[in-house]
Every structure is written in structure tokens, then in C-alpha cells.
Amino acid sequence: VQLQASGGGLVQAGGSLRLSCVASGYTYMINGMGWYRQTPGNERELVARLRDSGRMEIAESVKGRFTISRDNAEHTVDLQMNNLRVEDTAVYYCEAHSGPYADPRGRDFWGQGTLVTVSS
């Protein structure tokens, strides 16, 4: 599975950005897609993830501001980010999952990362 993300950039605090990601390759394996982010010196953290079952996970820090959506037929996942804050500045990574969750048999695929910079 290959993931191609787009949509990062520079925005002022309070502004909006939309990230998009499209999967290709063995897309039939995918049972969930989402977004993570990482800042220097910190571990990658979950922003939002949406499984095929409809179960959604979203970080408390972005609830009410970020919205995740998927198009299973097109194998895409988008992240609409509103009311951005300086602390949202990070490299955002698109993720696709196959196999069971929380299980060694599961596997995550990653996109190349797209930088989101929020200025004050």
C-alpha cells in the first residue's frame, strides 16, 4: 500500500487547512485510515482515525476543530482542520491499517508526511 498526502502549508492561528491522502496498491487490505502527527523530539501521535466499521478515534486536543472523513471507494482520507492553533504545528502523516488492531498481525502503512505550520 502506498499513500500520497497533500495539503500542508503555512496558516495563521484561527485559520483552516485541509489535508488529503489517497491510497494505491493493495488497497483491498485496508480496514482503516487516519492521520497522525509528530513534532521534533516527540513520538508520533494519533490525530484521528476512522475504521471500516465506522469506529472513529480522535485526539481530545483536536475535538470540535478537526474532522476526519473517508471515501472507501476512492481509498482516500481527508482531515479538515479548523481554528488551528500554534500547537497544531507538526508534520502530519497519513496512515492506513490492515489486519487486526492492537495485534502483532496488524500492519500500518505510512505516507511521506506533510508539514503544517501555524503562526501566531
Side-chain angles (χ1 to χ4, degrees):
V1 175
Q2 294 80 46
L3 300 170
Q4 181 67 44
S6 61
L10 173 64
V11 65
Q12 285 191 326
S16 298
L17 280 176
R18 187 176 184 88
L19 304 182
S20 297
C21 178
V22 58
S24 60
Y26 295 105
T27 54
Y28 67 90
M29 299 172 59
I30 297 172
N31 59 16
M33 295 184 75
W35 292 92
Y36 286 68
R37 67 187 181 186
Q38 189 171 22
T39 54
N42 293 305
E43 293 188 358
R44 196 170 295 184
E45 64 175 8
L46 173 69
V47 177
R49 183 168 62 187
L50 191 54
R51 305 187 190 186
D52 284 3
S53 64
R55 176 177 174 179
M56 185 177 69
E57 300 163 78
I58 188 164
E60 286 293 329
S61 60
V62 307
K63 276 185 180 178
R65 300 187 298 122
F66 291 11
T67 303
I68 187 171
S69 59
R70 283 183 62 191
D71 185 329
N72 291 348
E74 297 295 326
H75 311 299
T76 61
V77 61
D78 291 347
L79 186 68
Q80 177 66 41
M81 305 184 292
N82 297 328
N83 192 19
L84 281 159
R85 303 170 181 170
V86 172
E87 53 265 38
D88 294 319
T89 295
V91 177
Y92 284 71
Y93 294 90
C94 175
E95 175 257 358
H97 187 86
S98 68
Y101 284 82
D103 188 296
R105 295 169 295 173
R107 181 176 176 182
D108 291 311
F109 302 88
W110 298 98
Q112 81 280 15
T114 183
L115 178 62
V116 172
T117 303
V118 184
S119 63
S120 59

